[in-house]
Amino acid sequence: APNPPSDMVEHTYVIVGGGIAGVSCAQELARIMDNGIVYIVSSSDTLYEVESILEVTNHLNEMKVFEKMCDQFLLENPKIRIRKGTVKGINYKAKILELQGQHSTSHY
């Protein structure tokens, strides 16, 4: 089996997708973790981040969401890394994530 890239050995979580749910999940995991790195796998150069949440009623919230370039997002989130790509397959038992168009398999 191919060796994992050296920058991907010590992380704990991989989030697939750079939308609101994926980014919010990655940020919360990074906030509560003592060690490790959270990876976001996204096919886009931009991510969607929630800036604020306003409770309108007991069952309705309003969120202010904005698009952020990956480079800027990384500066503000030091425990998060971004891996650009489209997921081809996941073997969660073996902790292997395959990305389309890449020769090696990513190990998580």
Side-chain angles (χ1 to χ4, degrees):
N3 291 326
S6 61
D7 69 331
M8 300 183 74
V9 174
E10 294 187 23
H11 62 279
T12 308
Y13 297 98
V14 175
I15 308 298
V16 177
I20 298 167
V23 170
S24 296
C25 181
Q27 287 176 317
E28 184 62 13
L29 286 168
R31 185 185 70 77
I32 64 173
M33 282 190 327
D34 289 333
N35 300 337
I37 297 292
V38 178
Y39 272 81
I40 297 175
V41 178
S42 177
S43 60
S44 176
D45 290 325
T46 56
L47 302 175
Y48 292 91
E49 187 172 22
V50 175
E51 181 178 276
S52 61
I53 300 174
L54 173 66
E55 186 175 330
V56 178
T57 69
N58 287 340
H59 303 287
L60 180 65
N61 291 328
E62 181 179 301
M63 295 186 298
K64 184 175 181 183
V65 177
F66 59 97
E67 201 173 50
K68 188 172 277 190
M69 296 300 296
C70 290
D71 293 342
Q72 180 64 34
F73 179 85
L74 291 173
L75 290 174
E76 298 168 4
N77 296 275
K79 288 183 162 182
I80 299 175
R81 303 288 183 270
I82 299 170
R83 184 77 184 260
K84 186 157 183 184
T86 301
V87 175
K88 179 180 174 183
I90 299 173
N91 181 334
Y92 69 92
K93 288 183 180 180
K95 297 183 178 181
I96 296 173
L97 182 70
E98 295 180 74
L99 302 178
Q100 287 182 354
Q102 297 195 16
H103 299 290
S104 62
T105 304
S106 301
H107 297 253
Y108 293 98

